[in-house]
Amino acid sequence: MIKKFTIIGSGAAGANAALTLLEKGHKVEMLDYGKLDSAPLEISQTFKTVKSNARLAASFFYGNDFSGINGPNDTDIFKYPKRRPSISTTNLYDNEENTDQFQPIFSNCKGGLAVAWGANSIEFNQDDMIGFEYSKQDIESSYKVAFKRLHVSGPVHEDDLSSIVNASYKFNSSHDMSSADNNFIRSAKLKNKFFLKNKNVLVGQSRLAIDNRLNSDNKCYSCGLCIWGCPSNSIYTPLKTLKDCKKFENFKYINNVKVSHFKSDNGAIKYVVDKSGARYEASNVILAAGAINSAIILLKSFKENKIVNNNIIRSVGLLDTEVIKIPYLSLSKIFKKFTTDKIQFNGLLAMVKNENKNFPLWTQVELLSLGSLIYHPLLKKIPLGVKNSILAFNLIKSMLGVATIFLPDKYSDKNYIEMDFSGPRDKVRYSYSSTEEKKALKEKVMKKLKNYMRSLGSIMISSQAIEAKNGSGIHYAGTIPIRASKTRGCVNSDCKSYDFTNLHVVDGSVFPSLPSKSITLNIAANSIRVCERL
Amino acid sequence: MKTEFNVLSKYLGGVECSDNYLREVYEAKFGRCDLNFISSIWLVVYFKDILSIIGFNKTLNVKLLFLVALLEASPAHKNLFPEKQSILLTILMAPILVLAFLVSLFFK
């Protein structure tokens, strides 16, 4: 039977839900508020050629207003310039308060936050899926579809990470690795060969959602411009899936719609209402506006439909990956030639095993060999004056790398989104703090990683660790989580709402715990799983 | 009299940056400023730069870091961060780093 679905949001969850439903023959109407991201440079430009033109480079890397240059108090190494509206600290709902506790990053773009993601694609393992109420086996077939849609590429050879990725998903051939990363992998292999293999830390080449198929028009040409927008369109974004959706006659895309809430009757959603008051008739609704905005829409709907009569309503939870960046020096690279022509992006990945069984099993660590255009924020951290800092930097730059740790998260009743309906204007507040248990986990992960890196001849400089502000992990989840029993503001294992009979939630909101692994692939796979059953 | 942009770019990279666009950007942000002979001496700038460690000359520090960012995203980056390692400096640095590594073995 052909059904009609109304999907809210065009990110990884929404786009993959739409394509899955369309492939099954259903009708899909997508409501979106996405603008287009800035156009990337034309093909043939590389990091090196851009830097050979000062005018182009300055505006491209930093934006015309130079907002991409880190200020004295910035805590990140990279800063997205304003030329990319896909990344913004301003939500389209623009009525937030208390953002000093939790400063989320939003995307007001078609394709959502995944338009500017890092492309890392490692699936959740069973031991990562704490509280998911469905097993890895239940989602295997959906991962296969997601791997195909995202064109995940990875090494054809075996490495440490092979033990936690499913080879049957069929990776495309791997991307190029820098000589520095090759050396690192070689050191890890030598260590594994002659010493006892460390099963607590796995290191390997990143599995990335980069189109590396030989005959593809979008094949990656290793330009090194990934974080500023891929010129060859090789990195997967949901816009590709959206393009596939538009090939179906049953697909209707309505843009410039800021969804506010649902209007229901007898527990079933009748209309989706936008900020201007316009109503869209709905028989089956798929909520995929991102973990934060989906929660805001649901809480507002509770108020509008008098499901909850309080003026202050909270989401069940709020999860995010805490991010820590730690510089390290690899002694093996001391005499190696260094090039400033490229910035190495997501070349290597490490997974550190957590001992605390309450948290998802693996902690993801991205190992980045420094290339160029990221020196100046680090120079500020060397207390020698700028000239001396540059000299010191030139001595160690070929050895320098940065390990970025993404900590997993689990439910805490202190972390939530709160909506206040008492005033003339609805307000959104975030409550988020790190628990003692999480702090202990962080210490243990850092210690394990430090010991492992030392065994490969790399010194981690923990004293120079940069801890990002709460909310900058960008992997938001857990606001409308899966629960086994009926709970207000939650969904069941099929991601069906307990509050509205014809509502499914398919974005990161539904994850009851947050594994550390990059979230886009896993959101896409779960969205496909849910929609395959509808 | 030399402009501040010329003096500081030479101080950082060893050669004056001749790119007019970068000069315009720098002067749009900090204003055009001509330095007298004394203020443009390398050692004087160096001394002021060093003093930023103890909180003096914060403006100079901000200007230098902004200029590093600008030069880094331009062909002039090779003056600031040359690809070729100085062999002498590497040889001098190697024992310190090896020592640091050995010391790190005794710390958790």
Side-chain angles (χ1 to χ4, degrees):
Chain A
M1 191 179 77
I2 296 174
K3 295 181 197 167
K4 188 198 159 201
F5 288 87
T6 303
I7 297 181
I8 300 162
S10 64
N16 281 287
L19 187 57
T20 307
L21 293 168
L22 289 165
E23 283 174 347
K24 287 181 72 180
H26 296 302
K27 281 185 180 174
V28 172
E29 183 175 84
M30 182 178 278
L31 305 178
D32 191 25
Y33 181 68
K35 296 171 181 167
L36 270 180
D37 205 5
S38 304
L41 288 173
E42 70 271 22
I43 292 188
S44 81
Q45 290 281 19
T46 65
F47 188 71
K48 188 180 177 182
T49 59
V50 173
K51 280 180 85 173
S52 64
N53 178 340
R55 182 180 285 265
L56 173 66
S59 64
F60 182 75
F61 292 122
Y62 301 134
N64 289 331
D65 60 353
F66 300 96
S67 59
I69 295 180
N70 271 319
N73 300 318
D74 284 330
T75 52
D76 214 345
I77 291 176
F78 301 118
K79 195 174 176 189
Y80 287 98
K82 282 182 190 159
R83 66 177 294 277
R84 296 206 70 186
S86 49
I87 291 290
S88 167
T89 48
T90 312
N91 192 2
L92 58 95
Y93 289 89
D94 62 17
N95 49 357
E96 296 162 298
E97 281 191 345
N98 286 1
T99 47
D100 53 327
Q101 235 193 69
F102 188 82
Q103 297 188 334
I105 292 166
F106 298 97
S107 169
N108 299 328
C109 245
K110 273 185 193 172
L113 279 168
V115 169
W117 72 314
N120 260 311
S121 300
I122 300 261
E123 79 267 20
F124 294 165
N125 297 110
Q126 184 66 63
D127 293 331
D128 290 315
M129 297 164 62
I130 293 175
F132 274 53
E133 304 296 338
Y134 63 86
S135 71
K136 180 70 190 294
Q137 211 179 349
D138 296 333
I139 196 174
E140 291 284 7
S141 60
S142 310
Y143 270 120
K144 277 187 187 171
V145 178
F147 264 69
K148 206 174 167 189
R149 285 187 191 165
L150 272 68
H151 298 302
V152 180
S153 67
V156 282
H157 59 270
E158 288 278 309
D159 62 12
D160 282 0
L161 293 177
S162 303
S163 61
I164 58 162
V165 295
N166 189 336
S168 72
Y169 297 153
K170 289 182 184 163
F171 291 96
N172 291 304
S173 62
S174 182
H175 50 281
D176 293 338
M177 261 205 300
S178 70
S179 57
D181 288 347
N182 267 319
N183 285 336
F184 196 93
I185 291 281
R186 211 171 294 139
S187 307
K189 278 185 178 166
L190 276 173
K191 183 181 170 289
N192 286 345
K193 195 172 174 184
F194 294 107
F195 298 94
L196 193 64
K197 193 171 174 177
N198 188 331
K199 288 181 179 168
N200 288 322
V201 183
L202 308 174
V203 173
Q205 194 177 354
S206 301
R207 274 66 171 170
L208 300 175
I210 287 179
D211 194 345
N212 248 354
R213 294 169 300 161
L214 279 175
N215 52 356
S216 170
D217 294 339
N218 303 123
K219 192 175 181 320
C220 170
Y221 67 102
S222 304
C223 65
L225 292 169
C226 316
I227 55 173
W228 295 280
C230 174
S232 58
N233 210 11
S234 304
I235 297 180
Y236 171 84
T237 75
L239 296 178
K240 291 189 179 192
T241 306
L242 205 56
K243 200 175 160 188
D244 290 336
C245 291
K246 287 180 179 171
K247 291 174 188 163
F248 287 82
E249 281 181 5
N250 282 351
F251 183 65
K252 189 176 173 189
Y253 177 78
I254 307 175
N255 203 4
N256 299 316
V257 180
K258 282 184 188 180
V259 172
S260 165
H261 61 274
F262 308 129
K263 203 73 197 159
S264 68
D265 185 22
N266 275 337
I269 296 169
K270 282 277 191 196
Y271 301 101
V272 175
V273 184
D274 81 359
K275 287 265 169 186
S276 68
R279 291 173 163 211
Y280 298 84
E281 208 172 318
S283 47
N284 296 288
V285 180
I286 308 276
L287 186 54
I292 292 176
N293 285 335
S294 287
I296 291 172
I297 292 168
L298 190 72
L299 297 179
K300 174 94 174 158
S301 303
F302 286 167
K303 182 70 184 169
E304 290 291 329
N305 295 289
K306 297 189 171 69
I307 293 171
V308 181
N309 286 318
N310 301 343
N311 276 330
I312 291 177
I313 309 177
R314 289 175 180 171
S315 70
V316 172
L318 175 61
L319 306 170
D320 187 24
T321 46
E322 225 170 278
V323 179
I324 307 143
K325 289 179 190 289
I326 310 174
Y328 65 87
L329 294 172
S330 291
L331 290 183
S332 60
K333 292 194 274 176
I334 191 165
F335 295 117
K336 301 287 180 194
K337 192 176 178 289
F338 182 76
T339 175
T340 52
D341 290 346
K342 249 186 175 184
I343 179 163
Q344 187 63 33
F345 184 61
N346 287 351
L348 299 178
L349 202 65
M351 288 288 168
V352 182
K353 199 181 259 183
N354 301 322
E355 282 157 20
N356 188 334
K357 300 285 180 203
N358 295 329
F359 281 91
L361 184 66
W362 294 102
T363 293
Q364 178 172 302
V365 183
E366 290 173 9
L367 298 172
L368 178 83
S369 307
L370 286 188
S372 188
L373 254 186
I374 41 178
Y375 291 146
H376 48 277
L378 291 175
L379 290 180
K380 284 183 295 197
K381 293 187 75 75
I382 304 177
L384 301 172
V386 178
K387 183 67 186 174
N388 286 341
S389 302
I390 290 172
L391 286 174
F393 222 87
N394 282 331
L395 281 171
I396 59 169
K397 67 186 180 204
S398 67
M399 297 179 283
L400 197 62
V402 175
T404 306
I405 301 172
F406 295 87
L407 286 176
D409 203 2
K410 73 180 187 77
Y411 169 76
S412 160
D413 59 5
K414 288 179 182 157
N415 300 340
Y416 51 81
I417 298 173
E418 182 177 87
M419 284 205 75
D420 183 346
F421 300 102
S422 59
R425 222 169 145 229
D426 307 341
K427 285 173 188 163
V428 180
R429 300 190 193 103
Y430 305 100
S431 170
Y432 193 92
S433 54
S434 200
T435 57
E436 288 303 316
E437 199 180 5
K438 198 170 171 186
K439 283 175 190 161
L441 178 94
K442 178 168 74 180
E443 292 302 318
K444 283 188 178 166
V445 165
M446 283 170 67
K447 191 179 162 188
K448 270 188 193 173
L449 186 67
K450 201 171 168 181
N451 287 340
Y452 181 81
M453 295 292 275
R454 196 159 53 198
S455 72
L456 295 181
S458 298
I459 311 166
M460 288 190 78
I461 313 161
S462 307
S463 59
Q464 293 296 320
I466 302 169
E467 296 198 17
K469 287 174 188 164
N470 282 340
S472 53
I474 316 188
H475 298 170
Y476 310 121
T479 49
I480 312 169
I482 294 173
R483 289 278 189 273
S485 56
K486 191 173 178 180
T487 313
R488 173 143 303 146
C490 294
V491 294
N492 69 13
S493 61
D494 286 333
C495 299
K496 186 176 180 185
S497 168
Y498 284 123
D499 304 292
F500 298 101
T501 54
N502 56 347
L503 172 69
H504 284 79
V505 185
V506 294
D507 54 29
S509 322
V510 298
F511 294 156
S513 61
L514 183 61
S516 151
K517 293 164 183 170
S518 293
I519 202 168
T520 300
L521 167 80
N522 297 290
I523 287 177
N526 184 52
S527 172
I528 293 165
R529 177 188 75 92
V530 173
C531 293
E532 274 171 347
R533 293 160 185 234
L534 294 176
Chain B
M1 297 280 264
K2 283 185 169 179
T3 66
E4 189 178 57
F5 176 80
N6 282 348
V7 171
L8 295 186
S9 63
K10 187 171 181 185
Y11 169 70
L12 289 173
V15 283
E16 272 180 29
C17 179
S18 56
D19 196 299
N20 280 332
Y21 176 71
L22 296 184
R23 177 199 304 277
E24 282 166 24
V25 170
Y26 180 86
E27 290 177 353
K29 184 160 176 76
F30 298 111
R32 187 190 160 92
C33 178
D34 291 321
L35 297 181
N36 61 31
F37 175 72
I38 302 285
S39 302
S40 56
I41 295 172
W42 191 95
L43 259 178
V44 173
V45 182
Y46 182 71
F47 185 66
K48 286 181 179 173
D49 181 21
I50 292 288
L51 281 178
S52 68
I53 304 166
I54 49 171
F56 289 101
N57 301 313
K58 278 188 179 168
T59 317
L60 179 68
N61 190 259
V62 170
K63 285 177 179 176
L64 284 172
L65 284 169
F66 185 82
L67 198 51
V68 168
L70 274 191
L71 296 175
E72 197 182 357
S74 79
H77 72 273
K78 289 194 173 169
N79 298 325
L80 257 72
F81 305 110
E83 290 192 3
K84 233 179 178 181
Q85 287 274 72
S86 156
I87 295 169
L88 180 67
L89 286 174
T90 307
I91 290 168
L92 284 172
M93 197 67 188
I96 299 168
L97 288 166
V98 171
L99 192 66
F101 176 69
L102 292 173
V103 168
S104 78
L105 294 175
F106 297 97
F107 287 95
K108 279 185 180 177

